[in-house]
């Protein structure tokens, strides 16, 4: 079924009786060419691109709970490609370009909204570091604008320029950055993959891997054994738990990132604003809620909830730069479990076990990467060689010292 | 205007009249009123519009679960959008306006959406607005955004102050209804430290809204007597107007106390206080929330929760209608009928979905058993209802009771799942409660008054007992076990008019069915696809109705269909309250050096360095551009002598028999053999081989060192060294204490620095170059006996010293140094000149020590000892960190002498386009060198040391200025380092 | 969260700074033949358990002790708090 | 030649509020004493000989009977000694008194000291201090290092209704603002 304004009109006039399920609910088969473990954003986009780009459709996506229940369903919806290091920026720019064509591509309105993202700077050294980043972005084909104070005031007159403890001197602006309706990304990819024949199987938890002589030939699940030529794990947030079943230790810790939404408000802010001297970033959803967050809580956890000090720290950051939000109320807080990697950058790689692949370590940046992650993982699975923009996302990069450390804080995951 | 719907009795103070306005109309109420009760007393029915269809809406409830009656409260910068009228305490001069409509409330232009509802079904927007692609941001989205949202922020700085605080107790009791009061009484009498918090301004909970009796008194009187007893006890803290909004780990609860919201003018005091309550045990006595029933057009003004109708009549003496009908599936609805009748309302009908009921109807009420309401009429206010038996009833208020849902919210905050109970047809707290929490009363699914009193007493006894307090074995106060029989009836099935589930977000039963039809069948999919329960009320009255409709569709039971758990906060909390005082200049503490006041007097321009403020430069009269000042300051240092406050550098006092060995482990270069009275540059690596920090360390005695760190890393280096000391080498005798604050330290730099210091250092100390050579240090005294430390170190490359005095002398010291330096033309210099001087010498700072660079990259590779165990040397040997084409820190000079270099530019070989694959490095720092007369820079470039003299591009497309630069030595001035040894 | 400090009693976790897995105490021998591999595993690989986790916290705004806290990463329940120095000594670390 | 005049971090601040008073304390010497490994007993013995008091455990302080010195147990292996400063080099004064059994570091200039006293002092501290200062829990003589409004603070209860608060000298104005705001907010 193709979605369109006309279809909505027609259905409205005929009692909305014609809408079909967005995805099937198939029983798992006994074997597939490729099993994707994890029905979150990255897993579903991997399945979608395997089908669309490489014509591979004998594929199952296995999801422990409900489709999209991972971090694609619990994030702050920001997309951007404002990275600095050559190992990262081309990949995230690929992702941005995929976002820009996504809705027409999978015929689902995920509300990709490029209203821009601004990272504020407060000092000359910060400005210089942003200049380094902005130039790296442009050199990778992305867009970047360095705003001085006057340029920033034009866009965000409501910022507390003069009274702020850390005076706001300008910002690095990526006009193509923005937000996307996060759940719709999962649903759109699921629909696109389902239409092309991929089996999406919910409530099917992987309990073990079939590994013999260093070869993985499938998985054990709560719904039986399923064989596969290739098994692709894609369970960020649960990577440690799942890969432990394959006997692997990872350069990853699990941490919780909290996010918050305010009550609905008439339009307040234009795009995404990120406060560098505090821990705060904010956007406003189409429904009117301010969607905001800050730092991770900072301790290992698999609990999808955080604690008060971070809530307060985030709101302090918000009030520091835009004290007009004081009377807006925080409506809901939630926590997502992050794969915090040792250098802050992800992995899309084979493992040392033949037939077993791993995608994870996205830290708190996985949502924006959803299209490119799926695209590059699909490339790796289909061709057994990394996509050119993802060659550095190797699991063994720390052995040789090939860290991709944007923040420069070293092997301490909670600082990334 | 008279209060047309006000009756007799109630807990309001009729001796005082409060004036307020709603949408400009002048109205009156009394102390004790909420905005909602006063509106009802004044006969106001239409108070707002719904989110999507802009349907007319009236007050629905009498508490914090309110979905409809949201207003913009107060004026101008004090405007507070989305404020629930049902919990807003009335004050004199209150001004409220309805929100989310275009044009007058009664004639909202966006009400057209209601006629488009067949097209605006759940999730319709996912299926359209995709063509043409560019129209989303430009056309569709702006329209959606402008019509979405609820109230408006003022866009002005929040003028009110907020505060925070910390409380400790043995027992936190959440909710001061019958269960909470009973629990508090028992716990308090045991001697435990008790906090009793309630969101209402009048403690007593439902007791204030009911006509039930306790021990022969009215419930409300009993509540007041109990509150009086509790407030007389030292070990009890009563906190009305306080919402416990979240349950966090280890017995910590978040609470928000509204201090001045009920006052016309807060008098400058904090408006709200955000408390963190540390409890050893907690008892949740949060009561229950009534839910509605889904039936055709069940959203009109005048259709309300039955318990709320009763509350308005009993507590506030305000009748929501003159002719009231009751629609119920349980016994409790019948009480509304009898109480309303007692207050003088006409009971038009009692419609009960059950076949029989145990209570009697008031005289004159028509009773229809086994019957439902199927439709209603009255666009701006209810006029009548149609029943399933075909009859119609004229009425202006319909009191609906779908049963009571325990307020389990806080039991879920640590991801506990509620469990279904058939007897109350609702979810009750599950077994996985937050550690230390117990639940009592209606929150626990025990819906009678007697049970609430009993459970409160029992749970408090048990909790106090666990903590070692003995409770007086007294039975709880007696009350009747009133009839509360309920039935599982949620939804009047029909194919006719829309039946609302979520009033605020306009989710109807049809939306839930559509979600099912399209495969969004898990509870989470249902919520996300339809937005059920996502509004400002978080679905308190709606969630279960939505579940029941989904259960109907799937043919499963409600518990099989699922439940959603709740997350904090229980009710929305202002962002300003979470921030407390930390805003504006008080966002973070400010650290000042001891010369700050003096520098201010000199007109210095200051810059933030972490939390420090440092003098950036000292403009003199006639200087109009910052460069003039900075050039002058830098030139003065190279020409004669300058003084700079360097107090902000971290200083760590290191003592112990093994101090030298310890330093040998934390620094990459050797420290074991440093002589007493000498200073050495130290390079600190992280364990991954990347440079962490650098600085100088002086050996003051055999077992005594003083380390300096960079300003930015002072705290993290100290932490790291404590880790090394306690966790890696606990056997070493070494002790650390920060001395950053103890010493005011000044760099005295330039060829005349020794001459100047001779005037400051007491004459018994020989500071000649022979006696006090480069990299020497020692304890001296200055200006006639003040203790000081002198270090002969140089950041500028000139003959230079750093001299430290106890901080209490810092202000006097800078003034004295300037005084004695006058004859040498001494100038103070700030961080900008400092930066110029160090770039001229090629010294790395934070821009180069950015956490991504190795000692080798910095040209310091040979400092990393391979002959000892130290942090970072093993992993610094990894292949990728030692590539031939690895980065090198080198200098850059413009090919065209007048070109300005820019930090952040990337290096690209000549003739190649600026793209990622041609990226060879970046410029880290730039300055104008007054010594050389042109712009100079430092930066990292691949294989830099082998490329001296090569001309490359410094590409800065971000600022549109790409220039050609020459790779040069990073040591621009005095490369042999002779000046500093002079 | 509240950490029950072995010397000071219960203190709010916001006084502490977190580092990570307590295995960071077990720094390898720099002279081992496969020192680089050992240091790689020590610094970069984690068990990252869903359940009981022994981890290092620094009482930065307190008594400056490093602590080894045993905490469940699913429930956040803390079942043990020790001075890291004692733990390190027990594991044979000295000079 | 100019001579150097000392100044205090908060200019001898003092202000009264309803129920409490906030005042800067000046003239105190603060010397940290670290205990060398293996010489704990000797150092404790020297302290006992010099002032007749035991070495306090972490979290407690002990004042000599004559009141000339108070020793605060701050962290394992480290205490602070507080006494009236009558010497430019208080660390050396301590060394003269008890010998070189410990490692001494002068901290006198590192801290700004406020005394908050009066029956509402605990109520004011409630707004910034997460410690439970109930007298049954935090007894007179009790000492703790904690954080208030992002600032490190050492709290010493020197009387039932009086607390000594030590916070870093460089941020003393911010700290004073925090304490005074608390006093005002409870009025």
């Amino acid at each position: 079924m193709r979605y369109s304004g006309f279809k909505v009109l027609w259905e409205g006039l005929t009692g909305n009786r014609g809408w079909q399920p967005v995805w099937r609910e198939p029983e798992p088969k006994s074997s597939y060419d490729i099993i994707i473990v994890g029905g979150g954003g990255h897993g579903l986009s991997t399945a979608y691109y395997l089908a669309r780009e490489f014509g591979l459709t004998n594929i199952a996506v296995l999801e422990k709970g409900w489709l999209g229940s991972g971090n694609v369903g619990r994030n702050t919806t920001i997309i951007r490609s404002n990275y600095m290091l050559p190992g990262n920026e081309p990949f995230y720019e690929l992702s941005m370009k995929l976002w820009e064509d996504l809705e027409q591509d999978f015929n689902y309105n995920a509300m990709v909204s490029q209203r821009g993202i601004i990272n504020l700077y407060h000092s000359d050294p910060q400005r210089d570091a942003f200049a380094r980043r902005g130039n790296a972005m442009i050199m990778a084909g992305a867009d970047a604008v360095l705003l001085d104070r006057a340029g920033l005031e034009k866009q965000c007159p409501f910022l507390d320029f003069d009274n702020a403890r850390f005076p706001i001197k300008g910002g690095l602006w990526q006009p193509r950055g923005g937000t996307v309706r996060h759940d719709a990304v999962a649903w759109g990819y699921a629909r696109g993959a389902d239409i092309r024949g991929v089996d999406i199987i919910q409530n099917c938890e992987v309990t073990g891997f079939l590994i013999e002589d260093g070869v993985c030939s499938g998985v054990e699940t709560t719904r039986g054994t399923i064989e596969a030529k290739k098994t692709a794990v894609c369970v960020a947030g649960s990577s440690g738990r799942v890969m432990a079943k394959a006997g692997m230790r990872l350069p990853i810790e699990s941490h919780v990132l909290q996010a918050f939404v305010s009550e609905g408000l008439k339009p307040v802010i234009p795009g995404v604003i990120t406060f560098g001297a505090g821990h705060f970033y904010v956007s406003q959803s189409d429904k009117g809620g301010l969607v905001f967050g800050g730092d991770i809580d900072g301790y290992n956890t698999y609990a999808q909830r955080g604690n008060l000090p971070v809530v307060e720290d985030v709101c302090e950051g918000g009030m520091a730069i835009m004290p007009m939000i004081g009377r807006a109320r925080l409506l809901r807080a939630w926590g997502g479990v992050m794969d915090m990697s040792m250098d802050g950058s992800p992995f899309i790689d084979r493992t040392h076990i033949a037939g077993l692949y791993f995608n994870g370590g996205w830290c708190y940046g996985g949502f924006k990467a959803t299209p490119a992650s799926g695209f590059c993982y699909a490339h790796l699975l289909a061709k057994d060689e990394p996509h050119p923009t993802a060659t550095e996302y190797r699991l063994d990069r720390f052995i040789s010292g090939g860290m991709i450390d944007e923040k420069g804080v070293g092997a301490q995951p909670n600082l990334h | 205007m008279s209060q047309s719907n006000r009756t007799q009795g109630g807990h309001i103070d009729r001796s005082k009249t409060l004036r307020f306005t709603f949408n400009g109309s002048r109205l009156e109420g009394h102390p004790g009123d909420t905005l909602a009760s006063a509106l009802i007393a004044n006969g106001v029915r239409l108070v707002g519009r719904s989110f999507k269809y802009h349907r007319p809406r009236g007050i629905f409830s009498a508490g914090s679960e309110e979905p409809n009656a949201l207003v913009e409260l107060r004026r101008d910068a004090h405007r507070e959008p989305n404020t629930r009228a049902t919990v807003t305490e009335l004050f004199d001069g209150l001004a409220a306006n309805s929100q989310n409509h275009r044009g007058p409330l009664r004639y909202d232009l966006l009400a057209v959406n209601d006629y488009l509802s067949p097209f605006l079904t759940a999730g319709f927007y996912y299926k359209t607005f995709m063509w043409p692609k560019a129209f989303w941001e430009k056309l569709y989205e702006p329209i959606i955004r402008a019509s979405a949202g609820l109230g408006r922020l003022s866009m002005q700085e929040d003028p009110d102050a907020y505060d925070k605080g910390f409380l400790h107790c043995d027992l936190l009791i959440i909710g001061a209804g019958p269960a909470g009061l009973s629990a508090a009484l028992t716990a308090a009498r045991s001697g435990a430290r008790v906090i009793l918090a309630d969101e209402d301004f009048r403690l007593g909970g439902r007791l204030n809204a009911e006509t039930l009796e306790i021990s022969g008194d009215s419930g409300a009187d009993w509540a007041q007597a109990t509150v009086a007893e509790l407030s007389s006890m030292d070990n009890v803290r009563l906190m009305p107007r306080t919402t416990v909004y979240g349950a966090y780990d280890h017995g910590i609860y978040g609470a928000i106390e509204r201090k001045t919201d009920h006052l016309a003018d807060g008098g400058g005091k904090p408006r709200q206080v955000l408390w963190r309550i540390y409890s050893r045990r907690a008892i949740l006595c949060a009561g229950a929330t009534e839910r509605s029933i889904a039936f055709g057009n069940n959203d009109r003004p005048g259709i309300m929760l039955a318990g709320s109708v009763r509350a308005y009549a009993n507590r506030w003496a305000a009748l929501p209608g003159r002719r009231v009908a009751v629609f119920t599936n349980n016994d409790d609805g019948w009480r509304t009928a009898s109480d309303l009748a007692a207050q003088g309302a006409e009971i038009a009908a009692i419609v009960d979905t059950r076949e029989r009921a145990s209570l009697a109807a008031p005289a004159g009420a028509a009773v229809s058993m086994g019957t439902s309401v199927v439709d209603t009429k009255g666009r701006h206010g209810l006029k009548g209802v149609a029943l399933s038996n075909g009859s119609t009833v004229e009425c202006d208020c319909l009191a609906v009771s779908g049963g009571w849902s325990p307020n389990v919210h806080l039991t879920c905050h640590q991801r506990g799942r509620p469990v279904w109970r058939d007897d109350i047809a609702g979810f009750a707290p599950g077994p996985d409660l937050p550690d230390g929490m117990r639940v009592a009363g209606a929150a626990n699914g025990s819906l009678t008054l007697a049970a609430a009193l009993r459970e409160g007493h029992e749970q408090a006894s048990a909790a106090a007992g666990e903590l070692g307090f003995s409770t007086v074995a007294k039975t709880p106060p007696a009350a009747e076990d009133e009839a509360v029989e309920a039935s599982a009836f949620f939804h009047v099935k029909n194919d006719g008019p829309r039946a609302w589930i979520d009033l605020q977000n306009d989710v109807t039963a049809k939306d839930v069915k559509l979600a099912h039809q399209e495969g969004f069948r898990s509870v989470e999919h249902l919520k996300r696809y339809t937005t059920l329960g996502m509004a400002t009320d978080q679905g308190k009255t709606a969630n279960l109705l939505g579940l029941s409709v989904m259960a109907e569709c799937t043919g499963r039971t409600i518990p099989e269909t699922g439940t959603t758990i709740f997350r904090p906060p229980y009710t929305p909390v202002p962002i300003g309250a979470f921030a407390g005082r930390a805003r504006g200049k008080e966002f973070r503490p400010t650290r000042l050096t001891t010369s700050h006041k003096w520098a201010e007097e000199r007109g210095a321009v200051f810059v933030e360095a972490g939390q420090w403020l440092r003098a950036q430069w000292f403009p003199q009269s006639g200087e109009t551009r910052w460069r003039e000042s900075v050039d002058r300051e830098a030139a003065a240092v190279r020409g004669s002598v300058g003084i700079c406050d360097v107090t902000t550098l971290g200083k760590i006092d290191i003592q112990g028999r093994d101090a030298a060995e310890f330093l040998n482990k934390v620094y990459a270069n050797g420290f074991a053999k440093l002589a007493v009275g000498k200073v050495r540059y130290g390079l600190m690596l992280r364990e991954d081989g990347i440079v962490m920090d650098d600085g100088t360390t002086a050996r003051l005695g055999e077992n005594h060192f003083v380390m300096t760190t960079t300003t930015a890393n002072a705290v993290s280096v100290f932490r790291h060294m404590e880790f090394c000391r306690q966790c890696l080498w606990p056997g070493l005798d070494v002790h650390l204490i920060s001395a950053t604050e103890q010493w005011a330290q000044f760099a005295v730099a330039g060829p005349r620095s020794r001459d100047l210091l001779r005037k400051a250092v007491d004459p018994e100390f020989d500071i000649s170059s022979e006696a006090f050579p480069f990299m020497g240090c020692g304890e001296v005294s200055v200006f006639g006996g003040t203790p000081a430390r002198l270090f002969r170190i140089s950041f500028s490359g000139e003959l230079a010293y750093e001299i430290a005095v106890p901080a209490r002398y810092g202000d006097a010291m800078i003034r004295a140094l300037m005084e004695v330096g006058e004859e040498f033309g001494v100038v103070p210099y700030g961080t900008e000149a400092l930066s110029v001087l160090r770039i001229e010498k090629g010294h790395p700072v934070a821009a180069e020590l950015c956490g991504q660079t190795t000692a080798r990259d910095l040209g310091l590779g040979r400092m990393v000892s391979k002959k000892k165990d130290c942090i970072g040397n093993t992993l610094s040997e990894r292949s990728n960190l030692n590539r031939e084409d690895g980065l090198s820190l080198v200098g850059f000079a413009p090919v065209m002498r007048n070109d300005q270099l820019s930090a952040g530019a990337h290096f690209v070989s000549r003739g190649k386009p600026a793209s990622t694959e041609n990226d060879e490095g970046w410029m880290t720092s730039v300055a104008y060198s007054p010594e050389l007369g042109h712009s100079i820079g430092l930066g990292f470039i691949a294989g830099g040391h082998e490329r001296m003299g090569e001309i490359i591009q410094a590409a800065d497309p971000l600022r549109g200025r790409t220039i050609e630069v020459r790779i040069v030595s990073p040591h621009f001035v005095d490369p042999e380092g002779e000046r500093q040894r002079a | 969260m509240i950490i029950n400090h072995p010397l000071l009693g219960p203190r709010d976790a916001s006084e502490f700074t977190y580092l990570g897995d307590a295995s960071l105490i077990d720094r390898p021998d720099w002279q081992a033949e496969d020192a680089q591999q050992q240091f790689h595993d020590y610094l970069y690989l984690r068990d990252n358990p869903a359940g009981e986790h022994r981890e290092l916290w620094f009482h930065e705004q307190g008594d400056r002790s490093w602590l080894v806290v045993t905490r469940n990463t699913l429930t956040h329940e803390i079942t043990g708090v020790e001075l890291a120095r004692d733990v390190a000594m027990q594991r044979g670390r000295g000079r | 030649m100019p001579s150097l005049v000392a100044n205090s971090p908060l200019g001898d601040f003092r202000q009264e509020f309803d129920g409490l008073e906030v005042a800067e304390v000046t003239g105190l010497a603060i010397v940290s004493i670290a205990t060398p490994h293996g010489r704990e007993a000797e150092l404790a013995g020297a302290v006992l000989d010099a002032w007749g008091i035991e070495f306090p455990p972490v979290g407690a302080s002990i004042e000599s009977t004559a009141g000339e010195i108070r020793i605060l147990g701050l962290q394992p292996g480290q205490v602070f000694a507080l006494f009236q400063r009558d010497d430019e080099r208080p660390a050396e004064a301590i060394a003269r008194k008890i010998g070189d059994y410990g490692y001494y570091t002068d901290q006198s200039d590192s801290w700004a000291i406020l005394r908050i006293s009066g029956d509402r002092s605990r109520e004011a501290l409630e707004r910034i201090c997460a410690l439970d200062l109930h007298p049954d829990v935090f007894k007179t003589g009790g000492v703790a290092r904690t954080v208030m409004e992002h600032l490190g603070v050492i709290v010493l209860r020197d009387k039932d209704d009086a607390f000594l608060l030590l916070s870093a000298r460089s941020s003393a104005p911010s700290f004073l603002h925090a304490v005074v705001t608390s006093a005002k907010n409870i009025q």
Side-chain angles (χ1 to χ4, degrees), chain A residues 94-108:
Chain A
L94 167 69
S95 208
M96 183 61 85
K97 293 199 167 79
L98 290 169
W99 281 121
E100 287 171 327
D101 294 327
L102 185 64
E103 294 155 318
Q104 290 70 26
D105 189 66
F106 67 20
N107 179 230
Y108 202 78

Side-chain angles (χ1 to χ4, degrees), chain A residues 335-397:
Chain A
V337 179
M338 308 287 122
D339 270 15
M340 296 304 295
S341 71
M342 286 290 160
D343 59 358
S345 294
F347 307 95
I348 303 176
D349 202 1
R350 287 179 280 254
T351 68
H352 68 282
I353 300 164
L356 182 62
Y357 296 73
F358 178 75
N359 175 321
W362 293 97
C363 299
Y364 41 76
F367 179 69
K368 74 179 87 68
T370 304
S373 170
F375 197 89
C376 294
Y377 204 18
H379 186 282
L380 177 71
L381 288 164
K383 299 190 157 189
D384 258 315
E385 61 186 54
H387 185 271
T389 64
T391 54
E392 294 192 33
Y393 294 155
R394 306 296 300 272
L395 267 170
D396 64 356
R397 63 178 176 260

